[in-house]
Amino acid sequence: MSSEEILLWIRKQFENTTELTQKTLDYDNKYALLFYVKSLIDQELLQKLIIKPFFEMANENQFKAYLIALPQFQKAESKEQAVLEVTNGHTLIVIQHDLYLIDLQLATNNQVSTTSVETTIHGSNIALSENLMTNINLIRSYYHQASLSIEYFTKGEVNQQKIAIIYDKEHVNKKALEIIKQKLQQLDQQVISASTELNNYLNDKRFSLFPQMLMTERPDRIVYNIAGGKIALILDGNAQSLIAPAVFFDFMTTMEDNYHTLFISLFVRILRYAGLFVSILLPGLYVGITSFAPEVFRTELALTVAGSRIGVPFSSFVEVLFMLFFMELLLEASIRLPKVVSATATTVGGLILGTAVTEAALASNIMVIIVSAVAISTFVIPVNELAFTIRIVRLILLLITSVFGLAGLTLGLYGLIMYLVYLDSFGEPYLRLFNYQKAKKSSEGQA
Amino acid sequence: MLKKRNKIKQFFLLIILILSVLSGCGEFKDIDKDVFVSMIGIDLSDDPEKPYKVTLKLYVPTSSFKQSPKPEYTYLTQNGKTLTEAIRILETHSDKEVDFGHSKLIVIGEELLNANKSKEIMDFLLRRPDIQMISWLAIGRPSAEEIVKLVPQSETAAYPALFNYFDHNGTDSPYIVTTYLFDFRRKMLESGIDPILPLIEINKEEEHFEVNKSIVLDHDKKPHELSSLDTLIFNMLTRNLDVTDLVIDEDNQHFIAKIDNINSTYKVKVDAQQQIKLNIDIELFGYISESKNTMSNQQLPQYSEMVEAETKEKFSDFFTKMLNAGYDPIGFGVAYKSNTLHNKRMSPSEWDEAYKNSKVNIKVMAGIKSTGSIQ
């Protein structure tokens, strides 16, 4: 195919848009044709790197050599690739029969942000940016190993988004890597707009309660996990990355655990697991104890609960469901609302509603305490994905308890553990109990 | 994919199957539809047709103890031919379900104790599932009903004052015996040990309880009452007491020794002639807390000797009484059985005979460390 044909083809691809800019440089027997999307490229750079040297060069050959020497130079393998790269912010230069691609992308989303989801007091406060290259730059600058490998996939039939798979070639869990690559290849989606979407797309199970991949915005967490043989996936234009394979206990750790002294981190961990159990079990326990086995309470507490339920028109499980429902509404509302309004929402919902409900004897005082305790302990769970799951799990346990009492709650919890044992994340048992730190040395390559 | 989904379906089916077999603990009933029993009193009634008189003390729930700190109770009393009958009729007197799950104390009237109906009472208490085996058992004088119905001045809401005597959280006096229902039953069935129960009395003038005596029981013997001093000695031998007082009153000395460390051990030995020897070792350490005369540090060994002599005398008295009556609340018989092979043991009736003639060796070692005053 001659260059004339190629030019025609390229023009045809952009026929119906006004986006493509075509510029002809013609001076002193030198002749070059430039194609670029104006909104994607850095025009100053174009002027400095291409246009100005063009006029200063003695002849075409020197200009060609100059272009090849540029660090932004990329070889054009085919005309399809050339067109794709032009939409990515490259500038295509045609000189005689040769195609040259120069990366002059102007990225406005390459600002490193501060952590907003996984905040810590100790340690770094840098979060991923929305730009893939910046993110890779961040990770590479935290992980100095030649074995750090990055593979790119372009997925999403319509929006052609770039996905990077990052892993350490020497430590990586090869089985998981293979599964992930295979699933990515099979991935058939029109639009992929967020990395967390991949969590669903890479999961075979239709009904899945627990997250299979760990979502994080912290580069230190990514580096920590890559060193442990895990695989990180980052989608371009997204400040969240996914880490796989993930086990249940990954969702219960924060990076800060490694930064504290032993006893402090032990204390914080115990606190967190206590919070997990409280948020799962407390609503069920309330129904189970008050309605099935009041002997479990201390006498004083039994009397207080009985007294505070005087005049409450609902059965205990309706009361719990009712209050949990409003708590969930409040949670959802405060996430969706603009920051300015959300404070008002929590005040109205939490304080006014809580007081009014007990005043009107729609729920007992103890119930309000329980609902707030449940809400607070849910916030202790460090990874948001798990917190969402827990909100559903406790409803299931509450329903089982309402029908079968404390024995049902016990069996329900047992069933939950059975389910967790049955799950796996990319070939890795989900409820793997042994210590990751310890296992790292002995089972390198096993994750 | 299809296989996997089938597996999930099977998993949930299995769970549902298991869950549906469960009955839960009783059925769903809201806590405000229950009324909690705090104490059970069982007396002998005047009606020979219906010999049992059951008194229940019921909590009245309040939403806030801050707003109503006064204790509130209601009482239900009913005679019945059997205990179950009495309680069944009592349940018709209450608008809510009577729940025995929080009842902590069972008081048996003194008269009932002498009527020899312990088997029927125990049977009822042990068989009913919602009566806790960790309830305390006590004897009420003059009657269980009066004990159950008395609310002393010091009582706070939701925790009857009487419980404080037995739970070792409130008063921890060395004169109080605590007996749990399960323990009572074991001792009742076991040969070689006799159950002992605290005796609750009422101080009429000041309207409060007095718990410092106890009663030893056996199947077909008359109940034997232990005085306060004997109860103290029993506690010194069986419980790890922290603190006790001994009064020494001899010719020219009168002082009170505060003992803050008591170690007591006992051994049962039986020789070839089936003669039982009970070796009791007691170590007492403490200081003098009260005295009529001036005490001197140089004379501490003499004081110790006086304590030893006094203690020995009191213990001898205790054992003489016990042996004469044939009661064994400490459990020498059990100690003997546990140390002897079953084919070499005496039969229980042989043991009972031999026990009455056993020799008691009491060894007391007292160490009075200080006169308690700064010199």
Side-chain angles (χ1 to χ4, degrees), chain A residues 204 206 287 290-292 294-295 297-300 302-309 315-317 400 402 404 407-408 411 415 418-419 422, chain B residues 1 4-5 8 11 15 18-20 22 24-32 34 36 59 61-63 65 99 101-102 104 132 158-159:
Chain A
D204 289 335
R206 211 170 127 224
V287 173
T290 55
S291 301
F292 288 91
E295 299 84 35
F297 280 143
R298 277 195 70 96
T299 309
E300 291 95 322
L303 292 174
T304 322
V305 174
S308 73
R309 276 194 47 81
S315 263
S316 60
F317 72 94
I400 295 175
S402 306
F404 302 109
L411 207 76
M418 274 162 70
Y419 176 66
Y422 149 84
Chain B
M1 200 65 187
K4 228 173 198 178
R5 206 173 292 165
I8 298 172
F11 175 77
I15 288 271
I18 295 168
L19 282 177
S20 54
L22 279 177
C25 304
E27 62 217 53
F28 190 91
K29 171 156 275 151
D30 278 322
I31 195 166
D32 47 329
D34 279 330
F36 296 106
Y59 291 111
T62 56
S63 60
F65 292 123
D99 189 310
H102 281 284
K104 280 208 175 86
Q132 305 278 337
Y159 204 76

Side-chain angles (χ1 to χ4, degrees), chain B residues 231-273:
Chain B
T231 308
L232 171 71
I233 290 172
F234 170 77
N235 272 337
M236 280 169 82
L237 285 165
T238 52
R239 241 172 78 194
N240 267 331
L241 285 183
D242 287 333
V243 128
T244 186
D245 295 308
L246 288 173
V247 183
I248 312 295
D249 194 1
E250 273 184 32
D251 16 296
N252 52 354
Q253 285 286 6
H254 183 100
F255 63 86
I256 293 169
K258 190 162 183 85
I259 307 296
D260 51 15
N261 192 349
I262 304 166
N263 299 317
S264 64
T265 52
Y266 56 84
K267 268 206 179 103
V268 183
K269 281 195 177 146
V270 179
D271 61 15
Q273 285 80 43

